[in-house]
Amino acid sequence: MLSQEVKQLVPDGETIKVIGSLYSVDYDTDTASISETKNTRFEVFDGLLNTFFSSWERSYTWVGLDLGAQYVITKIAYCPRRHNPDRLQLGVFEGANQPDFGDAVPLFIIKDVPEENVMTEQVVINTRGYRYVRYVSPSEKRCNIAEIAFFGYQGVGNETNLFQTTNIPDVIIHTENAEEVTSKETYIKGIISFISDDGTNFYRDSLEIKGRGNASWTFPKKPYRLKLNTSTRIFDLPAKARNWTLINNYGDKTLIRNVLAFDISRRFEMPYTPACKLVNVYFNGEYKGCYQFCDHIDIRQYRVDIDEIQPADTVGENLTGGYLLEMDARATQEEIYYYSNSAPFVIKKPDFEEMLDPNHPCRLYIKDITDKFVNNAYSRNPVFRNYLDINTFMKHFLINELSGNPDSYWSVFYYKKRNDDKLYTGPVWDFDLAFENDRRIYPINDKADWAWIVSGSIANSVVKNTVYNITKALNDDIAQLWIQKRNDGSITEENFMAVIDSCVEEIAESQTLNFIRWNILNKKVHLNFQALGSYEAEIDVVREYIRERIRWIDRKTGFDSSNEQVNRRNIKLWSQNSRINIEGIDRPVLIEMTDITGRTLGSIAADGNISVPCKRGFMIIRISDRRNSSLQGGFDDSKVYKIFNF
């Protein structure tokens, strides 16, 4: 604390002023229903619990103070309007140093319905000084707050410890003039802040933001595309980049289907799996729920890591790569698209303006590659191995089949490397309808054939026949890949239950707040085939689906699950006193540690028993030898999971 003592910050009309949203007298109209002496913003600071502020607009309304100087806020007290205490639940208190609150961050969120007729006091975790403080009403509540009191001491402070909503990070976005995002085409400007590591890690940048998604864009909880001003790593995710996404997971009531699918992708060792982090999101002061902060699919190190083609690369070897494509049923909604035998392709990269010309050399070159791939795979006697990387295709296929993704071939990413005529499949993306969440295909495990064949996807006939011919030709190879992953311990019920348990524990508080904000657990949304009424019941659907799906694919591929234990080694792993202990290693190995989102936590070379420091939490341990085969397992501070043979 600085020399000045903590005090209540009371408006005096000169040094400390009341600020806030419009109330009806602010409008020069004869139809004003509220007089200038009743229900105004000033009554929030009159010391009376029987008066209140009711704003003109229903949402994004607020009331607060211009303190005249920076103050470190240490405590907030508040009281709801009588008979309406629930209108304050999820209300947010913010602090800022710009008068438009463009740089604001949360000081506190009201998680529970407050008591009536009393001032509820809340100690604030905040070391930063702010000139402007305010209360932002939840959506559709018109503020309806009776009284607020801010307490603090004058000072600039620092950013060593800020408020964080729950144990997962916060993403805070404020747009210029508090403008709503209404377009998927046009960016608007703003400021974004990230708070993580229990409020001790803070990063801020200017940004541009627009909408994204297809069906997901139509939901009340909106998804966003973010373009930061500075290329940087966020939350220690691998890529240093400007472009990121916020996935809304509205139709996925578990909020973790993408995270689980990405875990499967890493177990199949795809060259690139999108990195992500579950986060709480605030938009212009309103709490918006639990989102998935995720990579944007583009070409760069730690994403699609290929040599991106440049505008000058129009001849010779330079023309050959690299390209990022999407076989997309909605291709006509994109700027740069074409058809290969009616199979729709979008050119994601390169995206320079000249590519709009259908006769541009780069566009003609990549179309020739996809023409050869589709035409040969579509034929009765398919010849596609010269045009398709079999390894990534089969992994992509099994990832989508294990997850039961009905949109597997509605939209597929492909990429092409320089001086390599083959198309590589991936990365995987978009699993909100997977893991038994789509009425068009439910129940998946009762079907006689692969999910993509019997699904309700409306991918066109050329795409379906192309995939059918490829999978038919690769039937034995696909089966062997599955059996390999079952034998080396990558794919087990135990592994996935551990990942699900970890995710559920991680977002326990955040999912509760999310479903207060979005009251849909008792409703069917998007393509849900049922509404179970609780988060736990939604999670149980995924658990049971995974158990049954593993057994289904075992039968389909001929894997004998009774021999699953044959090749496991006697590796012992446990955590104690904030250390990882591993015994039973009898050869030189590389031990790699990641969290469930794929973020690297560390690696170490070892040729015997080891003990290394670790932080509390779930980790994926990968131990590989020089033959580049692996054993995998997971653990947290209360459980020890099996480690499998390499």
Side-chain angles (χ1 to χ4, degrees):
M1 184 183 300
L2 301 182
S3 59
Q4 187 168 343
E5 292 298 317
V6 171
K7 64 178 182 179
Q8 183 175 350
L9 307 176
V10 180
D12 56 20
E14 295 182 5
T15 305
I16 300 179
K17 302 176 182 178
V18 177
I19 54 178
S21 296
L22 297 173
Y23 49 98
S24 57
V25 75
D26 290 310
Y27 291 87
D28 183 17
T29 172
D30 294 331
T31 62
S33 59
I34 304 175
S35 75
E36 64 182 37
T37 60
K38 187 177 180 182
N39 302 339
T40 70
R41 66 175 78 97
F42 301 98
E43 292 181 282
V44 176
F45 301 98
D46 63 3
L48 303 175
L49 302 186
N50 61 347
T51 63
F52 63 92
F53 170 45
S54 180
S55 60
W56 178 268
E57 300 291 344
R58 300 190 65 88
S59 300
Y60 294 110
T61 57
W62 59 276
V63 60
L65 296 174
D66 174 356
L67 302 175
Q70 285 181 259
Y71 282 81
V72 177
I73 304 301
T74 60
K75 185 173 71 173
I76 299 171
Y78 53 90
C79 179
R81 174 184 176 179
R82 288 182 177 178
H83 311 303
N84 298 107
D86 59 306
R87 296 186 182 183
L88 262 63
Q89 189 175 25
L90 299 186
V92 177
F93 293 94
E94 288 189 313
N97 285 307
Q98 294 181 6
D100 64 354
F101 284 84
D103 64 338
V105 295
L107 297 171
F108 177 67
I109 182 172
I110 302 173
K111 297 178 181 179
D112 301 307
V113 177
E115 188 176 350
E116 286 189 70
N117 300 318
V118 298
M119 292 289 284
T120 299
E121 294 187 353
Q122 175 64 46
V123 174
V124 173
I125 299 173
N126 167 55
T127 56
R128 183 78 168 114
Y130 299 103
R131 174 173 172 174
Y132 305 95
V133 291
R134 70 177 180 177
Y135 165 77
V136 183
S137 172
S139 180
E140 297 290 315
K141 303 300 183 183
R142 294 185 185 272
C143 273
N144 277 283
I145 189 166
E147 198 71 17
I148 299 174
F150 293 98
F151 299 81
Y153 59 90
Q154 190 170 350
V156 175
N158 55 57
E159 294 164 347
T160 58
N161 199 3
L162 303 180
F163 171 78
Q164 184 175 316
T165 309
T166 68
N167 55 303
I168 65 174
D170 288 344
V171 176
I172 304 105
I173 297 169
H174 286 272
T175 59
E176 287 188 355
N177 302 315
E179 184 179 355
E180 187 69 273
V181 177
T182 59
S183 170
K184 295 194 298 179
E185 288 74 40
T186 304
Y187 281 105
I188 59 177
K189 295 181 179 180
I191 295 174
I192 188 167
S193 301
F194 303 92
I195 300 175
S196 59
D197 299 332
D198 294 325
T200 63
N201 193 334
F202 177 77
Y203 178 76
R204 172 178 288 149
D205 198 358
S206 58
L207 90 158
E208 294 179 287
I209 180 173
K210 66 178 181 178
R212 65 166 307 279
N214 294 307
S216 60
W217 178 243
T218 67
F219 301 150
K221 181 184 179 186
K222 299 295 185 185
Y224 301 108
R225 167 83 178 275
L226 312 175
K227 184 186 292 185
L228 277 60
N229 181 62
T230 305
S231 183
T232 189
R233 292 181 65 196
I234 305 295
F235 305 135
D236 291 330
L237 299 182
K240 184 178 182 181
R242 295 178 60 202
N243 292 288
W244 302 87
T245 61
L246 277 172
I247 310 299
N248 52 348
N249 291 329
Y250 183 75
D252 169 19
K253 295 173 188 174
T254 72
L255 304 171
I256 66 169
R257 281 180 163 89
N258 277 311
V259 175
L260 186 55
F262 292 168
D263 177 77
I264 296 173
S265 176
R266 283 186 290 273
R267 292 179 187 278
F268 273 97
E269 301 176 286
M270 284 290 275
Y272 161 59
T273 299
C276 66
K277 188 71 176 174
L278 295 170
V279 298
N280 300 301
V281 170
Y282 293 85
F283 185 87
N284 287 333
E286 279 194 7
Y287 169 74
K288 290 295 186 181
C290 182
Y291 277 69
Q292 175 186 323
F293 181 82
C294 191
D295 282 352
H296 169 68
I297 305 302
D298 62 1
I299 297 176
R300 66 179 53 251
Q301 188 179 25
Y302 301 117
R303 290 186 179 170
V304 180
D305 195 356
I306 58 177
D307 187 11
E308 183 175 0
I309 197 166
Q310 301 301 315
D313 295 343
T314 59
V315 295
E317 290 186 357
N318 290 338
L319 186 63
T320 69
Y323 295 81
L324 176 62
L325 310 172
E326 186 176 11
M327 184 187 287
D328 186 2
R330 294 187 176 92
T332 56
Q333 299 178 20
E334 301 289 337
E335 284 191 326
I336 308 174
Y337 73 93
Y338 63 87
Y339 288 90
S340 286
N341 190 4
S342 86
F345 281 91
V346 175
I347 301 176
K348 310 296 285 189
K349 293 285 184 177
D351 60 355
F352 43 82
E353 186 175 354
E354 290 82 356
M355 289 292 288
L356 292 169
D357 179 4
N359 295 312
H360 189 278
C362 293
R363 186 159 168 171
L364 292 174
Y365 170 80
I366 194 61
K367 184 178 184 303
D368 180 63
I369 294 292
T370 56
D371 283 350
K372 290 175 180 176
F373 160 58
V374 172
N375 291 336
N376 280 277
Y378 185 65
S379 63
R380 290 186 176 180
N381 299 305
V383 180
F384 52 84
R385 293 177 186 267
N386 292 333
Y387 312 107
L388 179 68
D389 175 71
I390 304 305
N391 191 41
T392 52
F393 177 88
M394 293 192 300
K395 290 178 178 180
H396 180 275
F397 176 84
L398 283 173
I399 294 162
N400 279 279
E401 282 298 326
L402 178 54
S403 64
N405 188 5
D407 286 343
S408 300
Y409 298 101
W410 171 264
S411 172
V412 184
F413 283 106
Y414 293 96
Y415 58 92
K416 184 196 164 303
K417 302 177 182 179
R418 191 178 294 276
N419 296 325
D420 183 346
D421 285 345
K422 291 183 179 180
L423 294 175
Y424 291 75
T425 312
V428 297
W429 189 255
D430 194 8
F431 291 86
D432 63 320
L433 293 174
F435 302 98
E436 205 72 287
N437 196 34
D438 189 334
R439 64 173 181 262
R440 298 173 300 179
I441 189 175
Y442 170 81
I444 298 173
N445 292 320
D446 284 357
K447 303 298 189 292
D449 214 331
W450 295 111
W452 81 269
I453 295 175
V454 298
S455 77
S457 173
I458 55 173
N460 71 30
S461 60
V462 170
V463 173
K464 286 186 174 181
N465 287 330
T466 296
V467 175
Y468 178 80
N469 288 340
I470 294 172
T471 54
K472 183 178 179 181
L474 295 177
N475 182 66
D476 291 343
D477 301 89
I478 291 170
Q480 286 304 308
L481 176 59
W482 175 261
I483 292 169
Q484 173 194 331
K485 289 299 178 182
R486 292 288 278 129
N487 276 327
D488 70 17
S490 299
I491 305 299
T492 69
E493 177 184 323
E494 181 182 54
N495 285 348
F496 293 124
M497 295 307 112
V499 173
I500 293 170
D501 288 345
S502 177
C503 289
V504 169
E505 181 180 358
E506 181 183 23
I507 64 169
E509 187 177 7
S510 291
Q511 65 83 10
T512 299
L513 295 176
N514 180 84
F515 291 113
I516 294 173
R517 177 65 181 86
W518 307 104
N519 185 18
I520 59 172
L521 288 172
N522 285 305
K523 302 175 183 177
K524 295 179 184 178
V525 297
H526 196 20
L527 293 172
N528 297 161
F529 66 91
Q530 61 184 356
L532 297 174
S534 75
Y535 183 74
E536 293 74 16
E538 294 289 345
I539 287 291
D540 285 343
V541 169
V542 176
R543 293 186 199 277
E544 185 58 28
Y545 166 80
I546 283 287
R547 294 187 184 101
E548 291 297 324
R549 192 63 182 168
I550 290 174
R551 289 193 283 266
W552 189 98
I553 301 180
D554 283 349
R555 294 191 295 270
K556 182 72 172 177
T557 59
F559 174 71
D560 184 358
S561 60
S562 65
N563 292 326
E564 185 181 351
Q565 306 290 331
V566 171
N567 292 322
R568 295 185 180 180
R569 296 180 61 84
N570 186 27
I571 302 293
K572 183 180 179 182
L573 179 149
W574 74 99
S575 61
Q576 185 177 25
N577 298 327
S578 298
R579 299 187 71 85
I580 303 168
N581 303 284
I582 305 178
E583 291 183 354
I585 297 174
D586 58 1
R587 71 188 75 176
V589 297
L590 176 66
I591 300 171
E592 299 170 287
M593 295 162 282
T594 64
D595 66 12
I596 59 173
T597 67
R599 180 182 61 167
T600 299
L601 301 176
S603 63
I604 187 171
D607 56 8
N609 298 343
I610 67 165
S611 178
V612 295
C614 70
K615 292 183 178 181
R616 179 176 177 83
F618 183 87
M619 296 182 188
I620 301 295
I621 303 297
R622 174 186 171 84
I623 305 177
S624 58
D625 71 354
R626 293 171 183 169
R627 294 191 299 275
N628 199 33
S629 52
S630 66
L631 56 92
Q632 291 185 339
F635 67 95
D636 61 22
D637 279 354
S638 62
K639 297 180 181 178
V640 175
Y641 302 100
K642 295 178 182 178
I643 303 299
F644 305 114
N645 182 39
F646 53 84

